[in-house]
Structures are given as structure tokens and as C-alpha cells.
Amino acid sequence: MTERANGRPDARRAQVRRHRRERQIVVFGVLVIALAFTGVFAAGVYKGDIDGPFSQPFVTPVGEFESDVTLVCPPVNSTPMLHRNVGVRVLNGSDVSGLAGSVSSVLDERNYVIVTTANWGRTYAGNVRIVFGPDGVRQAYTVAQNFDGDVDMVLDNREGTLVDIVLGEEYQSANLRSTLAPELDPDLILTANAECLPVGLITPEPAPRSLPANPVDEKKKQDS
């Protein structure tokens, strides 16, 4: 009764509870620090900034991606651009005289900006070859809708949005689609006709040494 009256058992219990709380604080603090470190480490491994404990990486580091795919995907869920915002250069890669001029006249009627027409300088054996840079992917797919048959989409490292259209030996006038063709629906989502990859994963070809000025790009610079 004297010990209880003097509060000694209560003091001991209070001390035990205090020690228990202190241990809990230490344990939880260590766990929080460990979880934080684990999260940072896992994020570093995922990004490829830190070597992980496994021989197989979670992601392929930039610059080590390899693929035989050369086709660039159109922007996700994108529709054709307004034709007045697409500058094209029409090149004749065949032996048919005047081919570039006749095709450019039709595209001009469809409100594309015809930058120039010329001979390609060499022969293209295929149907239509469309060449564009990283900034002109949507423009290129907009142009490609005009043509039926095999259309070769080629990415090079040019600056700007100018799209080159090369007409080849297999091209025929019937390969230029009518404006009533369902493929020319302005609300149709742009799609690739083969396996493709985002533009950042395709190695571009060298661009021509010189390209004509694209009025569309010049206008954008002035507006900005």
C-alpha cells in the first residue's frame, strides 16, 4: 500500500511507456528513411541512371535502341492539317516529262503551298517517296493521304516542315486520289500502313545540302 500510495509503480509504468514510444519513433524513422532510399534507388534504376542488381535492364538506355523499323508513326490521334499550312516541293524522279508540274497543279488546287517543282536528279523506281524532317511528320502524313499505292515515308534530318514529294517510275495519274476518296476525309485519324516507331526512335537520313525556303515556316517565325 505504501508503494502504491507513493506512486512508484505508476512511475515505473510511465517510464516503460516512454521508452516504448521512443523505440517506436526510432523504428518508424528508420523505416521511413529506408523506404525513401529504396524509392530513389528504384527510380534511378528504372531511368537507367543507376546500375541495378539485375543483369537485364528495365529499360533500354537512350542510344542503345536497335530496330529494323524505319517508318515514323504519325502523332497520336492526329488528323490531317489544313492544307494551307503544309508546304511541299514536288520532284520528278521518273523519265516522264512534266510529271512534277501536273501533280503540283492538282495539289495547288487543294490549297497546299507549292514551294517549287523540279527534277529529282536521279531516278526513283517506286511509286511515291515522301521525305520530311522531325518537325514535319504530321504534314507528311497529311500529304501521303493524297496518293494511292505504295508510298515510301522517309525521315531525314532537315529543319523545318517542308515535305518533299518524289514521283517515281511506277507513279500513274490514277494514283493521285480524288478529293472524294474516303482516305481524304479531314476528320480521319492519321495512321501508318506498317509497323512504325515514334520519331525520336528513328535514325534520320542525311537531308539535302540545301532546301528552298518554306513560306509556311517563314510565316510561323514572323507570327511568333
Side-chain angles (χ1 to χ4, degrees), residues 22-216:
E22 292 174 352
R23 287 197 300 270
Q24 290 174 344
I25 291 173
V26 172
V27 170
F28 286 126
V30 171
L31 288 176
V32 169
I33 294 173
L35 288 173
F37 175 80
T38 302
V40 172
F41 180 78
V45 172
Y46 180 78
K47 294 178 180 179
D49 297 332
I50 300 174
D51 293 332
F54 308 105
S55 58
Q56 180 66 33
F58 291 103
V59 295
T60 302
V62 176
E64 295 184 9
F65 182 84
E66 294 183 1
S67 174
D68 295 332
V69 176
T70 59
L71 178 62
V72 175
C73 295
V76 178
N77 295 327
S78 61
T79 55
M81 296 185 64
L82 294 175
H83 297 174
R84 65 174 180 268
N85 294 329
V86 181
V88 299
R89 178 172 66 160
V90 186
L91 302 172
N92 187 356
S94 74
D95 294 330
V96 179
S97 178
L99 188 59
S102 63
V103 171
S104 65
S105 296
V106 175
L107 295 178
D108 181 53
E109 293 175 357
R110 299 180 183 183
N111 294 323
Y112 285 94
V113 177
I114 307 301
V115 175
T116 187
T117 61
N119 290 323
W120 194 38
R122 57 186 186 275
T123 301
Y124 175 54
N127 176 36
V128 177
R129 176 184 172 99
I130 294 181
V131 190
F132 53 97
D135 294 330
V137 178
R138 187 181 174 196
Q139 289 85 343
Y141 272 93
T142 300
V143 171
Q145 287 186 305
N146 291 275
F147 298 99
D148 197 5
D150 292 333
V151 178
D152 188 17
M153 306 289 287
V154 180
L155 176 73
D156 67 14
N157 58 3
R158 70 182 60 191
E159 296 181 356
T161 64
L162 178 68
V163 176
D164 282 344
I165 305 171
V166 181
L167 306 170
E169 294 286 358
E170 295 182 1
Y171 175 80
Q172 300 178 5
S173 60
N175 292 355
L176 186 58
R177 289 176 172 142
S178 164
T179 55
L180 299 178
E183 292 85 355
L184 293 179
D185 182 346
D187 296 323
L188 190 67
I189 299 297
L190 297 173
T191 58
N193 59 3
E195 185 179 358
C196 63
L197 289 171
V199 64
L201 296 180
I202 300 295
T203 301
E205 295 187 359
R209 292 183 178 179
S210 62
L211 290 169
N214 183 2
V216 175

